[in-house]
Amino acid sequence: MNQQLLEELVGKNFHYYQTGQVANYIPALAEVNPKQLGMAIYDIKQNNLIQAGDASARFAIESISKVPVLLLAIEDNGLETVFETINTEPTGFAFNSILNMEINQQKHPMNPFVNAGAIATTSLIHGKNMDDKFDRILSFMKEICHDPAITLNEEIYLSESKTGDINRSLAYYMKGNQMIKGNVEEILDTYFKQCSVNVTANGLAHLGAVLANKGIAPWNNTRIISEKSATIVKSIMTTAGLYDESGEFSAHVGVPAKSGVGGGLMAAVPNCYGFGVFSPALDNCGNSAAGIQLLKDVVAQLHVDIFD
C-alpha cells in the first residue's frame, strides 16, 4: 500500500458518509461534522506510517477506549483475575443491554466490549482514587497510541455523564449483584472520562500495530503489553469488536477490529499492520459507515483477511 493508493481509496469511499448519521444520543457528538474520512496504516515490517484524508483530526475515542483499558486492567490484575470478573463471549443483545445478565442469570458481563463489561473492566484499574485511576489510563493511552497530545475532551465528558443513565443502571445492577467492587459513581466517572479523550486515526494505527506486533511497539521495539494479552484482546475484537455487526464484519472484512461511536475504527492484522480509521457518520449498528467500507477496500488490496 502506498500513499497515492490510500488517498484514492479514501476518495472512493468518502460518499458513504451520506448513508449514516453522527451519534445524536450524546449531544456533543451530534455537533461533529459528518463530512470527514481519514485513515492511517502502520506497516510493521517496513516500520513506517502512511496516512490520508482526515487521519490527523481529533475525535472522541468512545468505545475503542475499552481496548487499552482492558490491556491496562490485565497488566494490573493478571489475565485470570480479569476474566474471572468478565466473560469473553459474544452477545446477541445491544451493547448497552442488561438482558444477558438478567435473562440468562449471568454472574458476569458477557465480554469487555459491551458497556457492562467495560464498566467492570474500569473498576479493576488500580489507583489511589478516581483521579489517579484516570491519570493512569490516560498515560497508558498516550504510550500505546504513541501520542503525547491525547487529552480529555471536557465537553464530551460532561455530555457523556449527563446522558449516561443506562450505564448507571448497568453499574448499579452489577454492584447490587456483587459483580463489581468499589464506589459506583467513581467507577462511572472514570468510565465516562476514558470514553471522552481525543485521539486520531494515526494514534489508533499505532495501537493496532502494538496488538498486531504481539505487544511490542514497532517504532521503538519496546514491549508495552504481554504477547498473551495481545492475543486474547485480538480474539475478543474478532468476535465482539463491532457490536451487533461483529459477525458480518468478520465474514466480509476479516480482521480483528474495534469501533467507537465517535466514528473511529482500530484494527490489527497479526504480524503485518495496525489500522486507524475515522469517519463520524454511523450505520444502524453504531459503526462508522464510510470507515467500514474504506477498511474493507484496504484489507482487500493488501490481501490480509485473516480467514483467507
Side-chain angles (χ1 to χ4, degrees):
M1 179 70 65
N2 57 43
Q3 181 78 40
Q4 181 180 350
L5 179 55
L6 183 58
E7 289 175 353
E8 289 173 1
L9 292 176
V10 168
K12 173 191 171 187
N13 288 283
F14 178 74
H15 71 94
Y16 282 109
Y17 84 85
Q18 299 173 31
T19 67
Q21 60 181 20
V22 295
N24 54 21
Y25 63 92
I26 300 172
L29 292 182
E31 299 173 6
V32 175
N33 176 16
K35 298 180 182 180
Q36 299 181 81
L37 177 60
M39 183 168 187
I41 300 174
Y42 199 107
D43 185 328
I44 293 170
K45 294 175 182 176
Q46 299 296 323
N47 196 26
N48 77 306
L49 180 82
I50 61 170
Q51 59 177 302
D54 298 297
S56 296
R58 293 211 170 263
F59 59 93
I61 190 171
E62 294 296 340
S63 283
I64 301 172
S65 70
K66 296 169 183 177
V67 173
V69 174
L70 174 59
L71 292 167
L72 183 58
I74 293 170
E75 294 298 303
D76 279 354
N77 301 276
L79 284 162
E80 185 175 341
T81 297
V82 170
F83 293 113
E84 284 174 353
T85 305
I86 306 147
N87 289 340
T88 57
E89 297 297 325
T91 172
F93 294 106
F95 66 93
N96 59 357
S97 175
I98 201 170
L99 292 178
N100 248 321
M101 293 186 291
E102 205 166 33
I103 293 174
N104 298 326
Q105 297 183 324
Q106 293 285 338
K107 296 181 180 179
H108 309 286
M110 288 301 290
N111 65 68
F113 296 157
V114 293
N115 285 13
I119 293 166
T121 304
T122 300
S123 77
L124 296 173
I125 299 300
H126 291 179
K128 297 187 294 290
N129 51 49
M130 63 182 185
D131 290 335
D132 187 40
K133 292 177 182 182
F134 175 66
D135 287 344
R136 292 191 63 240
I137 290 170
L138 189 64
S139 294
F140 185 69
M141 287 183 179
K142 290 178 179 180
E143 179 185 17
I144 202 165
C145 292
H146 195 50
D147 182 2
I150 291 176
T151 56
L152 175 65
N153 184 319
E154 290 282 350
E155 183 184 6
I156 297 286
Y157 158 61
L158 293 173
S159 196
E160 290 267 357
S161 183
K162 186 176 181 180
T163 59
D165 289 338
I166 291 178
N167 286 324
R168 289 186 176 89
S169 71
L170 294 171
Y172 278 106
Y173 178 87
M174 289 190 290
K175 176 73 171 180
N177 286 277
Q178 293 80 50
M179 296 183 191
I180 60 173
K181 299 176 182 178
N183 181 288
V184 171
E185 288 302 323
E186 291 184 358
I187 294 166
L188 285 166
D189 191 70
T190 304
Y191 177 71
F192 293 141
K193 284 179 177 176
Q194 79 180 48
C195 292
S196 304
V197 301
N198 279 333
V199 294
T200 67
N202 290 337
L204 296 184
H206 283 82
L207 169 57
V210 174
L211 291 169
N213 201 37
K214 301 178 180 178
I216 296 172
W219 54 90
N220 60 13
N221 206 34
T222 299
R223 178 167 294 283
I224 296 179
I225 57 173
S226 71
E227 182 175 345
K228 185 67 173 177
S229 293
T231 299
I232 287 178
V233 171
K234 282 181 291 192
S235 71
I236 303 171
M237 285 164 57
T238 304
T239 57
L242 274 84
Y243 310 123
D244 298 347
E245 205 170 354
S246 297
E248 184 174 347
F249 182 86
S250 289
H252 296 290
V253 182
V255 293
K258 183 73 192 82
S259 64
V261 296
L265 281 166
M266 180 274 295
V269 180
N271 307 309
C272 295
Y273 300 102
F275 297 144
V277 187
F278 168 58
S279 187
L282 310 178
D283 63 20
N284 291 334
C285 293
N287 300 311
S288 175
I292 285 180
Q293 296 298 326
L294 174 57
L295 190 55
K296 183 177 181 179
D297 274 359
V298 168
V299 168
Q301 284 283 341
L302 293 171
H303 305 289
V304 290
D305 184 332
I306 65 171
F307 302 110
D308 273 353

